[in-house]
Amino acid sequence: MGMGTKAARAAAMGAMALTMALAAAGCGGAPSAGGAAEYGPGEPPLMSASHQGRYESLGMAGCYGCHGANEATDHMLAAAPALPADHYVDGDVATFEVFGPRGECITCHPQG
């Protein structure tokens, strides 16, 4: 087995592990009979319809600009819910740095 094949296999296994971990953490909400999503404790909300294509065009920065915490953003001014502390490195908002896998916003917050 070549070095490239081993690296590809390791990357695929890592991606699979991340997907399973996020699913176990409660990503997504189940739609109710009326079509609105219902969420249990700790489950993330869907992105609103007004955010259509925002993540695809801007990436994490498009989310962080309103929901993040740093000197250049103000989630209170934007009336957007702030990212919870567990989304930041070491669970500390003061780092202003989103923890690696938490930067893939649409994994847990798909378009509603």
Side-chain angles (χ1 to χ4, degrees):
M1 184 179 300
M3 190 61 145
T5 304
K6 285 182 183 181
R9 179 174 280 165
M13 293 300 289
M16 184 181 300
L18 175 61
T19 301
M20 291 173 66
L22 290 172
C27 291
S32 67
E38 296 177 3
Y39 306 97
E43 288 186 334
L46 298 174
M47 271 194 276
S48 69
S50 66
H51 288 51
Q52 184 71 37
R54 187 170 292 175
Y55 182 83
E56 290 80 4
S57 64
L58 301 172
M60 182 189 73
C63 302
Y64 192 76
C66 292
H67 300 279
N70 71 34
E71 297 88 10
T73 65
D74 185 350
H75 64 85
M76 299 304 286
L77 182 62
L83 292 173
D86 69 359
H87 283 48
Y88 292 91
V89 171
D90 298 328
D92 185 3
V93 175
T95 65
F96 300 141
E97 186 178 345
V98 174
F99 174 67
R102 296 291 193 164
E104 295 296 322
C105 308
I106 60 172
T107 302
C108 291
H109 303 278
Q111 191 73 48

